[in-house]
Amino acid sequence: MTESLFVSSYVIYYFRYLFLEICGFSVNLMRSTIVFLTTFILPVCLADNNCLKEEGCDCIIAGTWQNELGSNVTFTCKNGQLDGKYNSKVGEAEDYYTLSGRYTVSGPKNDVVELGWVVAWNNKKFGNSHSSTSWSGIYYPDDKVIRTQWLLTRYQEHKDYWMTTMVNHDEFKRIH
């Protein structure tokens, strides 16, 4: 609620400046415009934190990213749902794999993104690799990098259960 009040105050200040100082419009026109914006437009944008970021209300991490090993991930995202594809440069993963996950935004400017996604290593070219990887990470706008920790779980015989999961990290930089 305090964010809503802050944004509303900012909008009112901006339009007062715009109409009175720059355009010289009447106070009545200014008031009716402010009422329209704060009643109809602002609540829609605040309901979806990403509406102020990009056209179509997609999140700021939409696009293609590459990690330090050359693996590519492409995200599409809307309303907290993260979808896309992943191409690994590690091993024999020459094709794309479907990914699914979730994201949320936070920070004082709603420009920090916390996200997580999963890839089941199963595609048409190589079939089922009997493994899956989950990434959990965060994007800060000041360094424009998605920093993640990942868990790769692969099939092992029951007696070798202790070897089923590997842990590491990736940093993804935007390429598109």
Side-chain angles (χ1 to χ4, degrees), residues 70-72 86-97 121:
S71 298
N72 292 335
Y86 193 91
N87 177 258
S88 179
K89 294 298 181 190
V90 178
E92 297 180 11
E94 295 177 15
D95 201 3
Y96 279 93
Y97 295 82
W121 300 105

Side-chain angles (χ1 to χ4, degrees), residues 41-56:
I41 304 299
L42 189 60
V44 172
C45 286
L46 291 176
D48 181 355
N49 290 333
N50 303 312
C51 192
L52 300 173
K53 304 278 186 253
E54 295 180 1
E55 188 175 324

Side-chain angles (χ1 to χ4, degrees), residues 155-164:
Y155 171 78
Q156 296 288 333
E157 293 289 327
H158 189 262
K159 65 181 176 63
D160 295 324
Y161 167 75
W162 65 273
M163 296 189 325
T164 60

